[in-house]
Amino acid sequence: WVSLGSALTDGEGAFRLTLTGASLLPIGMRDLFVSVQGDRTGTRFLGLVSSPGAALAVSDVDGTLTSSENAFTSSLLTGADVAIHPGATTAFAALVARGYQPVYLTARGDVFTQDTREWLAAKGLPRGPMRLAPSAITLPGDATVAFKAGAMAAIKAAGYDVAVGIGNRASDIAAYG
């Protein structure tokens, strides 16, 4: 690991670090690590380095990529494998071939970040940034729309072009709009 700099977190633990000069990273998906100076705890995360205006393909996960809306939740209790919708892997490979960077946006709680990343990889979906809800459970409807619309606004504010939106529920359409 090489230090890229330091930053203060906000009340939610989020931070922003602008890289310049020799600390700039090449375009692509980058495995990164953040360490807390106070207690030396840390965590790995995935960062997207792209050119301004890069085109994204934003996709919901549960019910859109998984075989059903509640398949993941059920698997937590049963240990059953969560199936992927037929054709999803092929569709995402085609999007990547056309230059779209996948981003996975789900109301699934962020406590399931590693589980979600492992599931996407196991099913052959391309690596991409993920935005998961800060609460363990986000109920369908207004709460989901608010979370996803906020995430979409942040993506657009960061200078990305959301060229493709993939979802299976009215809440996905409302959030993407």
Side-chain angles (χ1 to χ4, degrees):
W1 297 103
V2 175
S3 176
L4 298 175
S6 63
L8 294 174
T9 61
D10 65 14
E12 300 293 320
F15 67 93
R16 179 177 293 263
L17 179 64
T18 302
L19 304 179
T20 59
S23 67
L24 287 175
L25 298 172
I27 289 176
M29 298 302 301
R30 301 286 162 236
D31 289 301
L32 300 168
F33 185 85
V34 62
S35 176
V36 177
Q37 287 181 340
D39 64 5
R40 303 311 293 164
T41 59
T43 190
R44 294 174 63 123
F45 66 98
L46 186 63
L48 170 61
V49 180
S50 67
S51 57
L56 305 181
V58 176
S59 178
D60 175 48
V61 177
D62 293 308
T64 300
L65 299 176
T66 63
S67 58
S68 72
E69 197 68 37
N70 297 315
F72 176 73
T73 306
S74 296
S75 78
L76 295 174
L77 301 172
T78 66
D81 180 52
V82 178
I84 189 170
H85 274 298
T89 304
T90 303
F92 273 82
L95 285 168
V96 169
R98 293 182 70 183
Y100 297 107
Q101 171 62 54
V103 173
Y104 303 98
L105 175 58
T106 177
R108 184 185 288 188
D110 63 6
V111 297
F112 302 113
T113 297
Q114 189 59 32
D115 296 314
T116 303
R117 189 164 307 290
E118 288 171 2
W119 182 84
L120 293 167
K123 298 305 179 186
L125 290 162
R127 284 179 57 171
M130 298 185 329
R131 294 292 303 263
L132 286 81
S135 59
I137 298 171
T138 302
L139 297 176
D142 292 343
T144 294
V145 172
F147 163 70
K148 289 185 177 183
M152 292 294 287
I155 289 167
K156 289 183 179 185
Y160 292 103
D161 175 30
V162 178
V164 177
I166 305 166
N168 68 313
R169 299 187 93 168
S171 58
D172 296 322
I173 295 167
Y176 295 168

